[in-house]
Each structure stands twice: as structure tokens, then as C-alpha cells.
Amino acid sequence: SRSQGNTAQVVRALTGRYAFDAVLPVEDAFGADVDLAGFDLVVLASGIYSGYADKRVRRIARERLARGQRVFVVLTHGSNSDHYCLKWTSALEAAGLDVIGGATCQGFYNFGPFKLVGGMHPDTPTDDAIAAIVDAYGAALERCAAAQA
């Protein structure tokens, strides 16, 4: 998330375990020289805001990715529900993207009135939750490799 760094924690864990050709903050993904359609796989990582992935990340998915392009979804959220991942992966698939998997975890949440009480879930995302996302990404890569063999 932009405010708490929940999503950044997960991305750091992914880049610590797997090699990526590029890691682009959302602000850089609209650069004129960035051709996201040229990547074999794009990880779309976002916090959830009012029930939706960051509007800038949704715009990237809409405008900068090619039909059939493989994506993996990472979402962090203040609730304890995984329905956000299903909701967004379904929308990405309907847009013609090849979603190879997705994972979510709960993160520290202090939006609106929750800020007055110090926020919710201050000790999240946990190391175990982050590790589960990293493992889910690895499993998705293995499934892709097996399908191509």
C-alpha cells in the first residue's frame, strides 16, 4: 500500500528470492521507454483501496499489457478476506490476460476513522503471510514451466 508499505514488503521478499528483469514502481510504469508488453510475465502488486486495486495499477493492466500476457497478482488489504484476488484476477482474465496465479495477505490498515484508534492489524503483514505469497509465486512459476515442458 502507498501509506503503510505493506505491498512493498511483499515485493522486496519476491525480489529477494526470484530474479526479475525489472521492478517498476507504478509511477515509472508509464514511462515512454517502458514496454511492459515485452515482458514474459508481469507481477501486478497493489494494496486494496475501497475494495479495488490501486487505480494506477488497474490502468497499467488496461493500457500497458498485451492480450494473452502472463500476469501474477499480489494484493495486500486491511480485511482478512481473499475475495479481492478472485475479483481482480477474474477481471484481468476477462480483459484477455493470462493470470497464472495470485495471492493476498492482510496488511496494516489505518484509513479514515481507523487512524484515530491507531489502525487495525499493526503487526501485519506477517513473515508467514509474506512467505506464503512468495511460495505461491514459486508454485505458479513451476506450473508454467511444467505446462511448457
Side-chain angles (χ1 to χ4, degrees):
S1 68
R2 295 183 305 258
S3 61
Q4 299 305 319
N6 299 320
T7 307
Q9 289 180 54
V10 176
V11 170
R12 280 192 299 275
L14 283 168
T15 59
R17 184 153 160 204
Y18 295 98
F20 289 85
D21 291 334
V23 177
L24 300 172
V26 69
E27 295 82 8
D28 297 338
F30 287 105
D33 61 341
V34 178
D35 178 18
L36 297 178
F39 288 98
D40 293 331
L41 171 64
V42 173
V43 176
L44 294 173
S46 175
I48 294 294
Y49 306 94
S50 300
Y52 296 95
D54 185 310
K55 65 183 175 183
R56 299 169 303 169
V57 176
R58 294 191 325 256
R59 182 176 166 210
I60 289 167
R62 225 179 19 255
E63 297 177 8
R64 301 301 297 256
L65 302 180
R67 286 188 66 75
Q69 190 165 5
R70 293 186 312 156
V71 297
F72 183 86
V73 173
V74 172
L75 298 173
T76 59
H77 49 83
S79 73
N80 61 357
S81 173
D82 290 337
H83 78 277
Y84 299 115
C85 195
L86 178 60
K87 178 179 170 182
W88 202 35
T89 57
S90 296
L92 293 170
E93 288 170 343
L97 297 171
D98 179 12
V99 180
I100 67 164
T104 69
C105 72
Q106 192 172 52
F108 178 53
Y109 182 72
N110 72 345
F111 181 75
F114 296 106
K115 187 178 264 186
L116 298 173
V117 295
M120 295 176 18
H121 320 299
D123 298 325
T124 58
T126 64
D127 290 343
D128 288 345
I130 292 171
I133 290 177
V134 172
D135 290 346
Y137 179 73
L141 291 178
E142 289 176 11
R143 284 191 307 274
C144 287
Q148 291 177 352

